[in-house]
Amino acid sequence: MFEFITPLFVSLILGGTLVGIIFGAIPGMTATMAVAISLPLTYSLGLENGLALLLGLYVGGISGGLVPAILLGIPGTPSSITTTFDGYPMAQRGEGEAALRIGIISSFVGGIISLAVLWLFAPTLADFAIKFSYVEKFLIILFALTVMAALSSDMLLGIFSGVLGIFVSLIGVYDVSDGGNGKLRLVPPGWEYWLDSGFSLLPVLIGLFGLAAILEQAELGVPRGHSAKDIKVGRHSAFSFSVFRGQAVNLVRSSAIGTFVGILPGVGGSAASIIAYTNAKTFSRHPERFGKGEPAGIIASESGNNGLTGGALVPLLSLGIPGDSTTALLIGAFTLQGVQVGPLFIGNNPGTWNAMIVAMLIANVAMLVMMYVAIRWFARVVTIPKHILFPVILMMCVIGAYTINYGIMFDVWTLAIFGLFGWLAVKLRLEIAPFIIGFILGPSAEIYFVKSLESFGDVTIFFTKSWIAVLLWALILGSVVLSVLLARKARRGEGS
Amino acid sequence: MGDLTHVTIAFETSHLVFPTLIAGVLVLLGLAILLRDRARIAASGAAWRQTFAAMDKPRFLGTIALTLVYFSAMVPVGDLWPNTGLGFLICSIPYVAGTGLLFMHDRSWRQAVPLAIVALAGPTFVWWLFTYPLFLTLP
């Protein structure tokens, strides 16, 4: 049952977690980037070992963001933005090490609670989703896109980004293996040879999360690295577990919020930590202390963002819909190994499912031990010069794009196209997460939509097929109404 | 009502059904964004000028230029020694060194030496890793 646990499997998790923490700890580099450039390595590792590496990177990357957030007031990853609110003031008053240890333990608790939810909930959801026909599957994708749009900073641009992702995914041939007619569409004249199968997923992802992030840094002039004297770990700041006394509710609530946000498609860790932090402040007896170095703020933020890790895998493994950008990249690992994620995945691949759960568990424990024991060493990671790191990452992006389809140079140009697009999209206020999820789910959405109409010959089937379809429409409508209400509230907030 | 909602999809043109629908939705959403954000879009020229003015042009444009030259050179150089991956190796060393120098703030020997070591060792290690243990031929 656990024959996948080999020295290589464990080493890959430990190595992945270590590299992930380093990536997360360097501002401008994220867990998503770490996973993106490591994807080609999984090709030769096999699925279980490849996932071990990627899940280690994921857990480590999300956790590592707390280091610069606390020591420098700069979130290492977007999901640790609220950690800066209380972590940095603590570091300023010489309690950096204590703040780091609070963050590390909270990250661990968040990760373990979300893992428990994943283990219990994903198989149940998958069992339920097995009964879905093409109609319900199409509506699930529609629901995922509307939820993403509802929780985007701009609903209209969020929907536009998601639909644009679907549109780009349709470029190329309507695949015969999916029941299509094998004809090309949306391909400019002269590009038929290159775009016969459309843009390959992994170069697109590496471009959007690797090259685009470095272009953003280059635009800012590649901000100078930090010197050792900028880091105030606080040699005399004693850490005591008593700081967690009375914080059990905060820990569990924030972890649960992070997990729930993770289950919602495409929402991301920054939303998880912001919602968890806001709730902790609202329910605190001392809300006035938040933002001034209150440990409860770090607990909420870090348990919230690590709560995302297991939650984001729930829709991926039970429905085939990624919960965030990083889990979208995991689809790449499955694609490389020829495994399709969806409702049948857990039942058909119990070994891989067990390997993922064990890998997440080991990654969380490894993160706790590594960061707790070697926090002073990790604190120095923020001083690694970017003029050495970024060129190596750019080279790894090229390697990743080139090797992913056994050596196609057009994939490297795809990386360049989507790297530039990713940079431009931020300027145009387009949302990358909905775009990516639209791009991943677009071909499936097409099959489900067209096959539903071919089978039933009537558009009303999308409303009348089953009670699940009706429920999904209610949820879609609910998410649209929610997004309108949130937009109004935000406008009122700006006005007042 | 039944006739209005009835749809027949011809197999020959089935590849166009969903793209046409999605294109229509994109156009509608685009129009809605144009209508809602018309003031912001009209003022976008100034915003782009500001972006361009605030941009570190040598580093940003230099990165794009070096990357495009790197991508363009890899295959022609690799064709000189087919199936050896030397195109990648020979082009990656100056690319890593060049972008490193571009990103460096205080250019000095003390900073340049570690970069030079990484520029030589990094691509060489990756080339060896993919060529021998992983058996993936680079350009």
Side-chain angles (χ1 to χ4, degrees):
Chain A
M1 190 179 174
F2 293 106
E3 61 278 359
F4 53 82
I5 304 177
T6 60
L8 177 65
F9 180 79
V10 177
S11 307
L12 286 166
I13 300 169
L14 300 181
T17 309
L18 177 68
V19 174
I21 295 169
I22 293 170
F23 261 75
I26 297 170
M29 293 165 71
T30 60
T32 316
M33 191 197 269
V35 174
I37 63 169
S38 304
L39 269 173
L41 296 174
T42 66
Y43 167 76
S44 56
L45 290 172
L47 188 55
E48 280 84 12
N49 287 334
L51 286 168
L53 174 70
L54 299 180
L55 291 171
L57 287 166
Y58 183 31
V59 172
I62 295 281
S63 311
L66 67 88
V67 176
I70 289 170
L71 297 179
L72 302 169
I74 302 165
T77 57
S79 61
S80 53
I81 190 158
T82 45
T83 309
T84 61
F85 298 169
D86 291 286
Y88 189 55
M90 280 184 78
Q92 290 294 93
R93 58 177 192 240
E95 297 169 9
E97 190 170 332
L100 287 166
R101 292 196 196 283
I102 292 166
I104 294 162
I105 294 166
S106 306
S107 295
F108 174 73
V109 174
I112 292 297
I113 289 178
S114 77
L115 178 59
V117 173
L118 170 69
W119 185 57
L120 293 169
F121 194 54
T124 314
L125 188 58
D127 281 346
F128 181 63
I130 284 172
K131 298 170 193 126
F132 289 2
S133 68
Y134 282 149
V135 171
E136 286 93 2
K137 284 179 181 173
F138 174 74
L139 291 177
I140 282 275
I141 292 175
L142 195 59
F143 173 57
L145 288 170
T146 53
V147 169
M148 270 188 297
L151 296 166
S152 295
S153 53
D154 184 315
M155 180 189 73
L156 205 49
L157 286 168
I159 297 178
F160 184 84
S161 307
V163 178
L164 184 64
I166 295 178
F167 188 76
V168 176
S169 77
L170 300 176
I171 291 172
V173 83
Y174 186 27
D175 205 340
V176 179
S177 61
D178 293 329
N181 58 12
K183 290 190 176 177
L184 274 177
R185 66 272 170 91
L186 310 174
V187 177
W191 286 70
E192 293 85 353
Y193 176 74
W194 303 111
L195 287 174
D196 183 67
S197 304
F199 289 108
S200 189
L201 172 63
L202 294 175
V204 170
L205 294 173
I206 297 171
L208 287 172
F209 294 111
L211 182 58
I214 290 181
L215 286 177
E216 278 171 35
Q217 292 284 313
E219 184 197 357
L220 298 170
V222 187
R224 283 171 188 273
H226 297 273
S227 66
K229 65 176 185 294
D230 296 330
I231 303 164
K232 293 176 181 170
V233 179
R235 283 187 181 280
H236 307 295
S237 62
F239 167 75
S240 164
F241 280 96
S242 63
V243 79
F244 285 96
R245 201 171 294 145
Q247 293 298 326
V249 174
N250 183 14
L251 259 176
V252 174
R253 182 185 54 227
S254 303
S255 305
I257 288 171
T259 306
F260 177 71
V261 170
I263 292 172
L264 298 175
V267 181
S270 50
S273 56
I274 289 168
I275 298 170
Y277 185 86
T278 311
N279 268 277
K281 190 176 176 181
T282 307
F283 290 109
S284 170
R285 276 186 224 154
H286 303 288
E288 74 285 353
R289 291 185 191 166
F290 279 70
K292 295 171 188 163
E294 170 64 32
I298 303 175
I299 292 170
S301 175
E302 283 304 315
S303 54
N305 64 29
N306 274 67
L308 185 94
T309 52
L313 289 169
V314 172
L316 177 74
L317 299 179
S318 56
L319 303 170
I321 293 172
D324 69 350
S325 306
T326 320
T327 45
L329 285 160
L330 292 182
I331 286 191
F334 288 104
T335 309
L336 271 178
Q337 305 289 342
V339 176
Q340 197 177 6
V341 278
L344 295 170
F345 170 76
I346 296 173
N348 289 351
N349 304 277
T352 310
W353 162 247
N354 286 334
M356 290 183 81
I357 295 293
V358 171
M360 288 283 282
L361 182 64
I362 297 175
N364 274 287
V365 174
M367 179 277 295
L368 176 73
V369 173
M370 283 180 193
M371 289 187 78
Y372 199 88
V373 172
I375 192 58
R376 284 181 177 276
W377 187 84
F378 282 116
R380 300 191 72 84
V381 163
V382 296
T383 64
I384 295 176
K386 289 176 185 164
H387 67 260
I388 288 182
L389 274 177
F390 285 175
V392 174
I393 290 169
L394 283 169
M395 181 188 68
M396 290 304 293
C397 288
V398 173
I399 281 284
Y402 184 79
T403 55
I404 221 92
N405 288 317
Y406 318 106
I408 295 176
M409 200 57 201
F410 182 71
D411 286 339
V412 177
W413 289 106
T414 301
L415 156 80
I417 292 167
F418 282 89
L420 286 168
F421 170 76
W423 174 81
L424 190 65
V426 174
K427 304 287 168 215
L428 297 174
R429 292 168 53 189
L430 295 178
E431 304 261 349
I432 294 296
F435 176 86
I436 276 297
I437 295 185
F439 184 79
I440 289 171
L441 299 178
S444 302
E446 176 176 35
I447 294 161
Y448 301 150
F449 181 80
V450 175
K451 295 295 161 201
S452 298
L453 287 181
E454 280 176 348
S455 304
F456 296 97
D458 200 303
V459 288
T460 55
I461 196 65
F462 290 107
F463 302 90
T464 57
K465 175 75 174 61
S466 64
W467 66 268
I468 299 168
V470 176
L471 176 71
L472 284 167
W473 275 111
L475 290 170
I476 290 165
L477 201 65
S479 60
V480 172
V481 170
L482 172 73
S483 63
V484 172
L485 291 176
L486 285 174
R488 275 193 188 168
K489 195 179 166 189
R491 267 204 301 274
R492 255 186 248 133
E494 280 169 17
S496 59
Chain B
M1 184 69 187
D3 286 345
L4 284 174
T5 57
H6 186 74
V7 178
T8 308
I9 295 177
F11 183 70
E12 280 303 297
T13 54
S14 60
H15 63 296
L16 297 175
V17 173
F18 199 63
T20 309
L21 179 75
I22 292 296
V25 174
L26 260 184
V27 169
L28 285 177
L29 287 168
L31 286 173
I33 292 166
L34 269 176
L35 271 175
R36 190 196 63 174
D37 296 345
R38 56 191 179 280
R40 186 172 66 87
I41 293 165
S44 62
W48 277 106
R49 273 193 295 278
Q50 199 182 350
T51 301
F52 199 68
M55 175 190 285
D56 186 324
K57 287 181 268 300
R59 288 199 171 91
F60 179 72
L61 299 174
T63 306
I64 293 176
L66 277 173
T67 304
L68 295 181
V69 170
Y70 174 49
F71 289 2
S72 307
M74 234 184 298
V75 172
V77 173
D79 285 345
L80 298 175
W81 299 277
N83 304 318
T84 57
L86 285 174
F88 166 79
L89 181 62
I90 291 168
C91 294
S92 294
I93 292 170
Y95 176 70
V96 171
T99 43
L101 280 173
L102 194 66
F103 293 163
M104 197 183 282
H105 284 276
D106 306 310
R107 292 185 186 99
S108 63
W109 283 109
R110 209 179 146 173
Q111 300 247 34
V113 170
L115 174 66
I117 294 168
V118 170
L120 278 169
T124 308
F125 173 72
V126 170
W127 170 79
W128 171 83
L129 183 74
F130 279 85
T131 307
Y132 295 108
L134 300 181
F135 300 109
L136 287 167
T137 308
L138 298 173

PDB file of all heavy atoms in Angstrom, chain A residues 57-68:
ATOM      1  N   LEU A  57       7.815  21.418  -2.955  1.00  0.00           N
ATOM      2  CA  LEU A  57       8.035  22.795  -3.412  1.00  0.00           C
ATOM      3  C   LEU A  57       6.843  23.685  -3.056  1.00  0.00           C
ATOM      4  O   LEU A  57       7.006  24.830  -2.641  1.00  0.00           O
ATOM      5  CB  LEU A  57       8.237  22.818  -4.928  1.00  0.00           C
ATOM      6  CG  LEU A  57       9.564  22.283  -5.463  1.00  0.00           C
ATOM      7  CD1 LEU A  57       9.480  22.051  -6.960  1.00  0.00           C
ATOM      8  CD2 LEU A  57      10.697  23.265  -5.165  1.00  0.00           C
ATOM      9  N   TYR A  58       5.649  23.128  -3.216  1.00  0.00           N
ATOM     10  CA  TYR A  58       4.409  23.877  -2.967  1.00  0.00           C
ATOM     11  C   TYR A  58       4.311  24.266  -1.489  1.00  0.00           C
ATOM     12  O   TYR A  58       4.165  25.447  -1.146  1.00  0.00           O
ATOM     13  CB  TYR A  58       3.229  22.996  -3.397  1.00  0.00           C
ATOM     14  CG  TYR A  58       1.853  23.613  -3.294  1.00  0.00           C
ATOM     15  CD1 TYR A  58       1.653  24.976  -3.458  1.00  0.00           C
ATOM     16  CD2 TYR A  58       0.732  22.813  -3.073  1.00  0.00           C
ATOM     17  CE1 TYR A  58       0.367  25.519  -3.386  1.00  0.00           C
ATOM     18  CE2 TYR A  58      -0.543  23.345  -3.006  1.00  0.00           C
ATOM     19  CZ  TYR A  58      -0.717  24.692  -3.160  1.00  0.00           C
ATOM     20  OH  TYR A  58      -1.985  25.229  -3.088  1.00  0.00           O
ATOM     21  N   VAL A  59       4.439  23.267  -0.615  1.00  0.00           N
ATOM     22  CA  VAL A  59       4.319  23.521   0.836  1.00  0.00           C
ATOM     23  C   VAL A  59       5.458  24.446   1.301  1.00  0.00           C
ATOM     24  O   VAL A  59       5.236  25.422   2.018  1.00  0.00           O
ATOM     25  CB  VAL A  59       4.316  22.191   1.621  1.00  0.00           C
ATOM     26  CG1 VAL A  59       4.397  22.441   3.124  1.00  0.00           C
ATOM     27  CG2 VAL A  59       3.068  21.381   1.290  1.00  0.00           C
ATOM     28  N   GLY A  60       6.677  24.139   0.861  1.00  0.00           N
ATOM     29  CA  GLY A  60       7.826  24.962   1.241  1.00  0.00           C
ATOM     30  C   GLY A  60       7.700  26.385   0.723  1.00  0.00           C
ATOM     31  O   GLY A  60       7.981  27.348   1.439  1.00  0.00           O
ATOM     32  N   GLY A  61       7.267  26.517  -0.522  1.00  0.00           N
ATOM     33  CA  GLY A  61       7.158  27.840  -1.147  1.00  0.00           C
ATOM     34  C   GLY A  61       6.151  28.733  -0.454  1.00  0.00           C
ATOM     35  O   GLY A  61       6.397  29.922  -0.230  1.00  0.00           O
ATOM     36  N   ILE A  62       4.991  28.163  -0.105  1.00  0.00           N
ATOM     37  CA  ILE A  62       3.961  28.956   0.581  1.00  0.00           C
ATOM     38  C   ILE A  62       4.476  29.362   1.971  1.00  0.00           C
ATOM     39  O   ILE A  62       4.269  30.491   2.424  1.00  0.00           O
ATOM     40  CB  ILE A  62       2.647  28.140   0.718  1.00  0.00           C
ATOM     41  CG1 ILE A  62       2.028  27.851  -0.656  1.00  0.00           C
ATOM     42  CG2 ILE A  62       1.642  28.839   1.629  1.00  0.00           C
ATOM     43  CD1 ILE A  62       1.273  28.971  -1.297  1.00  0.00           C
ATOM     44  N   SER A  63       5.197  28.445   2.648  1.00  0.00           N
ATOM     45  CA  SER A  63       5.658  28.718   4.009  1.00  0.00           C
ATOM     46  C   SER A  63       6.826  29.701   4.028  1.00  0.00           C
ATOM     47  O   SER A  63       6.909  30.553   4.913  1.00  0.00           O
ATOM     48  CB  SER A  63       6.092  27.415   4.689  1.00  0.00           C
ATOM     49  OG  SER A  63       5.098  26.430   4.528  1.00  0.00           O
ATOM     50  N   GLY A  64       7.731  29.565   3.045  1.00  0.00           N
ATOM     51  CA  GLY A  64       8.933  30.409   3.041  1.00  0.00           C
ATOM     52  C   GLY A  64       8.639  31.891   2.945  1.00  0.00           C
ATOM     53  O   GLY A  64       9.450  32.721   3.378  1.00  0.00           O
ATOM     54  N   GLY A  65       7.478  32.236   2.421  1.00  0.00           N
ATOM     55  CA  GLY A  65       7.113  33.644   2.255  1.00  0.00           C
ATOM     56  C   GLY A  65       7.081  34.418   3.565  1.00  0.00           C
ATOM     57  O   GLY A  65       7.180  35.654   3.570  1.00  0.00           O
ATOM     58  N   LEU A  66       6.961  33.706   4.683  1.00  0.00           N
ATOM     59  CA  LEU A  66       6.863  34.420   5.957  1.00  0.00           C
ATOM     60  C   LEU A  66       8.202  35.025   6.384  1.00  0.00           C
ATOM     61  O   LEU A  66       8.248  35.954   7.191  1.00  0.00           O
ATOM     62  CB  LEU A  66       6.298  33.503   7.051  1.00  0.00           C
ATOM     63  CG  LEU A  66       7.103  32.302   7.543  1.00  0.00           C
ATOM     64  CD1 LEU A  66       8.035  32.684   8.693  1.00  0.00           C
ATOM     65  CD2 LEU A  66       6.157  31.216   8.027  1.00  0.00           C
ATOM     66  N   VAL A  67       9.309  34.495   5.851  1.00  0.00           N
ATOM     67  CA  VAL A  67      10.628  34.960   6.306  1.00  0.00           C
ATOM     68  C   VAL A  67      10.846  36.440   5.957  1.00  0.00           C
ATOM     69  O   VAL A  67      11.039  37.261   6.867  1.00  0.00           O
ATOM     70  CB  VAL A  67      11.762  34.059   5.737  1.00  0.00           C
ATOM     71  CG1 VAL A  67      13.125  34.595   6.139  1.00  0.00           C
ATOM     72  CG2 VAL A  67      11.578  32.632   6.225  1.00  0.00           C
ATOM     73  N   PRO A  68      10.794  36.832   4.670  1.00  0.00           N
ATOM     74  CA  PRO A  68      10.971  38.265   4.388  1.00  0.00           C
ATOM     75  C   PRO A  68       9.792  39.111   4.879  1.00  0.00           C
ATOM     76  O   PRO A  68       9.972  40.287   5.178  1.00  0.00           O
ATOM     77  CB  PRO A  68      11.088  38.319   2.864  1.00  0.00           C
ATOM     78  CG  PRO A  68      10.433  37.095   2.375  1.00  0.00           C
ATOM     79  CD  PRO A  68      10.614  36.063   3.431  1.00  0.00           C
TER      80      PRO A  68
END
